[in-house]
Amino acid sequence: MNETAAIELASKALDLARASGAQSAEASVSIARRFHAEARENVVARLEGSTGKSLFIRIFRDGRKSTLSTSDFSADGLRDAVVRAVEQADLVSPDEYAGLPDEVAEAGVRLDLNDERIAARDGAEKIEEALALERLIRAADSRIVNSSGSHYTDAVAVTAMANSTGFAAAYTWTRAGRSTGPVALDGEVKRIAQYGTAARSLADLEALDSVATTAVRRAVDLFGARKPPTMRVPVIFERDVAAALLDDIFAAVSGANVAVGNSWLSGRVGSRIGSDLVTVVDDGRVPGGLGTSPFDGEGVATRRTPVFDRGVLQTFLYDTYYARKLGAASTGNSNGGGVGPSNFYLESGSMSLDELIAATPQGVLVMDTIGFATEHASGTYSRGARGFFIEGGEIAYPIDEFTVAGQYTEMLAGIDAIANDLRFDAPVVSPSFRIAEMTVSGN
Amino acid sequence: MLDRDLLSRLLGRALQHGGEFADVFCERRHSVAYRLQDGRIHDASYGVTLGVGIRVIAGESAGYAYSDDLSERALLEAAAAASLIARNSPAGTERSVELRPERVASAYDGARDEALDAAKYVAMLERADASARRYDPHVVAVNAHVSDEIQEVWIATSDGRIVEDRRPLVTLGVQVVATDKKERGSGYVGDGGRVALDFFDRETPEALASEAARIATVNLAAIPAPAGEMAMIVGAGGGGVLLHEAVGHGLESDFNRRGTSLYSGRVGERVASELVTIYDDGNLREERGSLNVDDEGVPGQHKVLVENGVLLGYMQDRLNARLMGVESTGSGRRQSFRFSPQPRMCNTYMPNGDRSFDEILASTERGIYAKSFAGGQVEIAKGDFVFMVGEGYLVEKGKITAPVRNATIIGNGPEAMMKVVAVGNDARLARRHYTCGKGGQYVPVGVGMPSVKIASITVGGTQHE
């Protein structure tokens, strides 16, 4: 991977845009070499390896914005596409807020995002890792009779950006992941668990045997699960499903949603929303974080932004456009086309998940959810779920085929305990936490 | 896109170490899109996807590599990378593959006119905006988008075929938010398909936008949804999301060949009430999920998945069909040249039953009427699925009463389908805006259904009596 080549391609695209009539423009280039090995039993079921390029350009003309994304890098193809994108701007309404950022990141900021060991890894070694994970899940428990596959993936990539104010910068990043899907047979019922982990460096990656045992435990611990009764109870969201709630909270604080009326938090900056325990941060500089980068999707320096401080909503998150529109400053959260998270997380508490369970006389521990349609305008949350019923501070029995539902206003105010198990294995992450009362719907 | 001689050499290189099958998937896609926000055209975008994916199948294994660099050197390198999957197989010499082009009939000759006045897109968005705002004074935000693309694919296979397809896809989507200062409600409606833009002379932007505004104002007045088990009437059209999640995914052949689906090994068995018949069809005119040929070069087909409650077959791609000893059903699809194919649904629907909607409603003492759906998800091993209500109502004593806020419904595939106690005579296909995700790949699909009553299912609201 070559940062200079990526910057050159971005600069070339920028020149084409200006020659075609753009008054200002910005080009982002990503060049990535991706690898994926999937093993199932003792067979390498899938082996994929490719190097791909993508180019994304934003063009501004008289306050009108047009974008281009292309994988056609032939001289004619690229020129024609840029001309077309510039022409399309004529149909866009002039918008006083559209344009490049006022201030871009300093060039040359080096964050530790590149583990050279990943690029240097031998293909056979990576394939063996997928095969080993597959062996480990089957050896871990005799009830594991099948799997949906065990995977090793990695990427070595360069992200480059240039804009017409003279900004030009690039960084190299890596990512590696391990995941598996053991299937256990519980009588007639197949129980599958999907568990995986990812990191910027091999050293930060959860060990193979730990990935295997966690995945297997999630499949077999659900044996005999039944549908719970419908009830109002305290609900603990385990780390991974807690992160999915943070996704919803991000959507509600995204300036892009706030600006179009699609957020239940509209107009509530400065208000107490959550309990005292709720401190939520977006931080683009978390060491080793998968959402860490020196600059965002329009070249603005990433930073640390407290979003909720002890329950009080401090700010929304913005790119340049939505910041201008809503009278704020960019928080370095452009994802190219709109507003995206960097490392967005709920701050950890002090007790372990086990201690949190022990401190819960009666409740539900949610290990997995399915579904995704939170209604962001009203903040209505409802998901399919599986997990455990807790009685007397102990896991009593596994439960599945139920839903858990609530209103986000009540849910954030109801967070009454947070565990200490936060880790940065995705851009949006959370420690496990408990909500004082939600509706569990079953029988 | 590539000349026949080069395609032939790429297939030869791909099979250099052995393997039973190879294909080269060439893709060129052009798309335009416009978005409206705050009553103004917010931005325009143009997209070009150009590249080639090369695959080798050797037994249960598949090697895949793609390239957006169309030089001969880069493509041969990609073919060599894909060939590595077969590097341990016994027989392996580079061989030549003779290719014959084949023609296929088209289910969507409506195609974008390249010379079209782009102002038409803008006019559609502006008409939608005005219509939604006219509908109700509580409408505070209208976000609309239109996208129009042509995906051209050329697929060369090592059994000597070259086929091509040219697939148009248009979508107009309108999202409306209404508020009365205290509550907020939103509604989304989208339509389009493998059609030309004159489709929207029939299904006007005004009609779509006022429908979205109507749903937003209904949701504004909605009460919290109930919690617990009750009867459910699934609305005609978009109710097909139920089939897609509760049954469809579980019948994709990758899960069944591997034995990870709860429907594995159950062909010929009863998996649903005898009122239930389910088709998946790649040939329906203009539908989003229709394909003249799939992404492995196999013509789209009409498949009977379930007939009178009995499971008849799976949806097959080439790799899994070969391993299961059957033919592909034209269900091999991929998001783009960057992805290897998977068995996927096209347009999944249930034909008419014999009950009127009014009869079904009158027979329901207490339950929920889920008129439209915002989407769904399934876990295929045990078969638990959810779907999310976009517009729903309480049913009390045989009558539709209060609208309820968005809720997730959860059930188990075969259990829920066994509890189908009435099928309406009002079957129709849903408005065309659904996209299905699987293994990180997104493809357009269609769904359809008559009104259907399920005797009992768990509704995931907050109101527990």
Side-chain angles (χ1 to χ4, degrees):
Chain A
M1 293 300 115
N2 184 329
E3 293 184 6
T4 313
I7 291 178
E8 273 170 16
L9 176 57
S11 304
K12 184 172 132 194
L14 214 52
D15 291 343
L16 280 171
R18 282 190 291 200
S20 309
Q23 288 158 343
S24 63
E26 165 197 284
S28 317
V29 168
S30 153
I31 305 177
R33 192 169 87 219
R34 295 180 193 278
F35 178 91
H36 182 173
E38 175 185 2
R40 206 173 150 267
E41 296 182 89
N42 54 358
V43 173
V44 182
R46 168 150 64 153
L47 188 56
E48 301 186 359
S50 303
T51 298
K53 261 197 307 225
S54 62
L55 169 64
F56 179 74
I57 309 177
R58 295 200 303 154
I59 285 153
F60 300 96
R61 189 154 83 154
D62 301 327
R64 302 163 203 267
K65 184 181 104 178
S66 176
T67 66
L68 165 67
S69 93
T70 183
S71 69
D72 181 355
F73 303 101
S74 66
D76 288 353
L78 184 55
R79 195 186 52 242
D80 290 352
V82 170
V83 166
R84 176 91 187 243
V86 172
E87 281 171 6
Q88 262 185 264
D90 288 344
L91 289 157
V92 174
S93 312
D95 187 334
E96 59 186 302
Y97 306 121
L100 295 176
D102 299 318
E103 212 172 311
V104 289
E106 284 173 44
V109 174
R110 290 278 147 191
L111 303 172
D112 193 16
L113 305 175
N114 176 18
D115 177 4
E116 287 172 1
R117 283 173 60 206
I118 291 176
R121 270 195 122 180
D122 177 49
E125 185 186 322
K126 300 195 274 196
I127 293 168
E128 172 50 29
E129 201 164 285
L131 287 163
L133 188 51
E134 187 70 5
R135 283 193 300 272
L136 284 167
I137 55 166
R138 287 163 193 262
D141 193 303
S142 61
R143 292 169 292 178
I144 302 300
V145 294
N146 199 346
S147 101
S148 66
S150 295
H151 305 259
Y152 171 83
T153 59
D154 68 27
V156 180
V158 168
T159 297
M161 174 169 285
N163 78 20
S164 52
T165 65
F167 176 73
Y171 58 93
T172 301
W173 56 268
T174 50
R175 181 186 193 279
R178 295 167 172 153
S179 64
T180 184
V183 178
L185 204 56
D186 176 10
E188 296 275 286
V189 176
K190 287 172 185 152
R191 300 215 176 257
I192 191 167
Q194 292 289 350
Y195 180 74
T197 182
R200 292 265 185 226
S201 70
L202 292 175
D204 285 349
L205 207 52
E206 185 177 343
L208 273 180
D209 55 350
S210 168
V211 172
T213 48
T214 305
V216 167
R217 212 179 53 237
R218 286 180 179 217
V220 299
D221 284 357
L222 264 290
F223 269 43
R226 52 186 134 133
K227 201 173 206 169
T230 301
M231 57 193 160
R232 296 273 297 169
V233 280
V235 174
I236 300 172
F237 289 90
E238 187 273 344
R239 183 177 66 200
D240 289 351
V241 290
L245 271 80
L246 266 286
D247 277 324
D248 278 350
I249 294 167
F250 176 80
V253 300
S254 155
N257 283 333
V258 172
V260 300
N262 199 27
S263 168
W264 60 276
L265 283 171
S266 281
R268 302 188 66 183
V269 170
S271 306
R272 168 165 296 279
I273 307 289
S275 73
D276 284 351
L277 301 177
V278 176
T279 292
V280 175
V281 177
D282 182 84
D283 185 351
R285 298 290 173 99
V286 172
L290 285 158
T292 299
S293 61
F295 50 87
D296 73 358
E298 52 187 357
V300 173
T302 53
R303 66 203 67 190
R304 183 176 191 280
T305 308
V307 179
F308 287 92
D309 182 16
R310 285 161 293 171
V312 177
L313 179 60
Q314 304 293 307
T315 179
F316 297 125
L317 294 171
Y318 305 103
D319 64 354
T320 296
Y321 176 79
Y322 288 106
R324 287 176 185 158
K325 190 162 179 161
L326 295 169
S330 170
T331 52
N333 282 95
S334 167
N335 63 6
V339 180
S342 54
N343 298 290
F344 185 79
Y345 63 94
L346 174 68
E347 278 193 354
S348 259
S350 54
M351 57 172 93
S352 69
L353 176 58
D354 286 343
E355 287 164 343
L356 180 48
I357 292 166
T360 305
Q362 193 189 55
V364 163
L365 169 63
V366 176
M367 295 298 292
D368 222 336
T369 56
I370 54 172
F372 45 83
T374 296
E375 214 238 350
H376 296 294
S378 62
T380 307
Y381 173 90
S382 177
R383 292 285 188 283
R386 57 188 183 189
F388 302 96
F389 188 67
I390 300 169
E391 229 161 1
E394 283 178 12
I395 301 278
Y397 53 86
I399 49 177
D400 67 358
E401 211 190 320
F402 64 95
T403 63
V404 53
Q407 285 295 128
Y408 262 107
T409 42
E410 291 161 22
M411 288 160 64
L412 289 194
I415 292 180
D416 64 359
I418 300 178
N420 59 4
D421 52 359
L422 178 68
R423 65 171 183 186
F424 291 92
D425 60 349
V428 178
V429 288
S430 175
S432 306
F433 58 78
R434 185 176 68 195
I435 293 177
E437 193 174 72
M438 291 185 74
T439 304
V440 166
S441 184
N443 283 319
Chain B
M1 199 169 99
L2 302 180
D3 72 47
R4 206 184 301 177
D5 174 60
L6 178 56
L7 287 170
S8 167
R9 278 187 294 136
L10 292 174
L11 289 167
R13 177 65 57 89
L15 293 169
Q16 65 182 342
H17 295 300
E20 299 92 52
F21 178 82
D23 56 10
V24 179
F25 176 84
C26 310
E27 179 185 22
R28 180 164 64 203
R29 187 192 311 229
H30 292 261
S31 60
V32 296
Y34 294 88
R35 271 197 306 163
L36 174 139
Q37 213 174 75
D38 283 343
R40 301 192 294 190
I41 304 303
H42 180 261
D43 57 24
S45 56
Y46 183 54
V48 181
T49 304
L50 181 71
V52 172
I54 300 172
R55 178 177 60 155
V56 175
I57 296 178
E60 288 180 58
S61 307
Y64 196 74
Y66 64 80
S67 178
D68 46 46
D69 178 344
L70 302 189
S71 70
E72 183 169 325
R73 180 195 50 78
L75 293 172
L76 283 166
E77 262 176 37
S83 79
L84 289 178
I85 192 73
R87 71 204 175 290
N88 296 330
S89 35
T93 51
E94 192 153 338
R95 52 175 144 130
S96 76
V97 175
E98 189 95 358
L99 291 167
R100 304 171 308 281
E102 283 180 21
R103 291 205 160 276
V104 286
S106 182
Y108 33 81
D109 38 33
R112 190 173 90 223
D113 174 4
E114 285 287 343
L116 188 82
D117 180 3
K120 263 204 164 174
Y121 299 114
V122 169
M124 283 164 58
L125 296 176
E126 288 172 343
R127 285 163 58 193
D129 182 68
S131 168
R133 290 177 192 279
R134 229 176 11 244
Y135 183 86
D136 191 293
H138 292 108
V139 168
V140 289
V142 181
N143 304 298
H145 68 89
V146 58
S147 64
D148 191 355
E149 69 171 44
I150 295 282
Q151 182 200 27
E152 295 171 280
V153 300
W154 295 263
I155 302 146
T157 54
S158 59
D159 53 9
R161 302 169 64 234
I162 304 181
V163 291
E164 57 181 276
D165 197 3
R166 187 169 188 276
R167 304 165 182 160
L169 188 67
V170 185
T171 312
L172 172 64
V174 187
Q175 195 232 10
V176 175
V177 179
T179 182
D180 58 7
K181 301 295 172 212
K182 207 158 87 23
E183 302 285 347
R184 288 170 177 277
S186 67
Y188 176 85
V189 172
D191 212 339
R194 300 204 183 277
V195 295
L197 222 51
D198 61 9
F199 171 83
F200 295 101
D201 297 341
R202 285 177 277 153
E203 294 293 332
T204 63
E206 284 83 358
L208 296 184
S210 51
E211 174 73 0
R214 186 190 62 74
I215 296 170
T217 51
V218 164
N219 283 334
L220 178 59
I223 61 172
E229 281 190 37
M230 62 197 72
M232 177 173 65
I233 302 171
V234 180
V241 170
L242 170 74
L243 308 178
H244 181 103
E245 304 299 348
V247 185
H249 277 297
L251 301 185
E252 291 166 341
S253 60
D254 46 355
F255 304 128
N256 288 289
R257 196 256 305 168
R258 292 178 163 192
T260 55
S261 165
L262 83 163
Y263 292 108
S264 303
R266 297 184 64 185
V267 170
E269 285 182 29
R270 170 65 86 77
V271 296
S273 139
E274 62 186 16
L275 300 173
V276 173
T277 291
I278 305 171
Y279 303 133
D280 184 78
D281 199 326
N283 295 330
L284 295 179
R285 232 179 142 65
E286 301 186 342
E287 286 299 316
R288 271 172 77 81
S290 292
L291 301 164
N292 293 326
V293 292
D294 72 1
D295 294 324
E296 303 182 298
V298 179
Q301 294 174 23
H302 173 79
K303 291 136 284 182
V304 183
L305 304 177
V306 173
E307 190 167 51
N308 303 325
V310 177
L311 174 59
L312 293 192
Y314 303 121
M315 288 166 279
Q316 298 282 353
D317 64 345
R318 282 183 185 264
L319 183 147
N320 292 290
R322 178 186 294 261
L323 293 168
M324 293 174 84
V326 296
E327 294 291 314
S328 164
T329 59
S331 304
R333 303 186 64 184
R334 44 183 138 197
Q335 179 174 318
S336 77
F337 72 90
R338 297 188 180 93
F339 297 87
S340 57
Q342 305 168 314
R344 302 294 293 265
M345 283 172 264
C346 293
N347 307 297
T348 313
Y349 66 101
M350 181 187 284
N352 261 332
D354 59 0
R355 305 281 295 280
S356 72
F357 176 76
D358 290 343
E359 275 177 86
I360 293 174
L361 183 61
S363 75
T364 306
E365 180 59 25
R366 180 174 175 272
I368 188 164
Y369 169 41
K371 191 173 177 196
S372 74
F373 295 90
Q377 197 179 342
V378 64
E379 184 270 83
I380 47 91
K382 177 163 179 275
D384 288 355
F385 68 90
V386 294
F387 57 126
M388 287 74 86
V389 179
E391 181 185 359
Y393 299 85
L394 288 180
V395 176
E396 292 163 301
K397 297 193 166 61
K399 296 215 161 46
I400 291 172
T401 57
V404 292
R405 287 212 168 268
N406 312 51
T408 293
I409 310 280
I410 190 162
N412 178 268
E415 276 173 33
M417 298 315 284
M418 284 290 187
K419 290 184 191 163
V420 169
V421 291
V423 176
N425 56 11
D426 52 357
R428 59 183 174 81
L429 293 162
R431 285 197 187 276
R432 302 174 187 143
H433 63 90
Y434 290 99
T435 295
C436 168
K438 171 180 172 182
Q441 296 196 48
Y442 292 83
V443 297
V445 294
V447 295
M449 182 127 140
S451 301
V452 162
K453 180 174 170 182
I454 294 176
S456 150
I457 200 159
T458 299
V459 176
T462 53
Q463 295 315 104
H464 175 40
E465 286 152 19

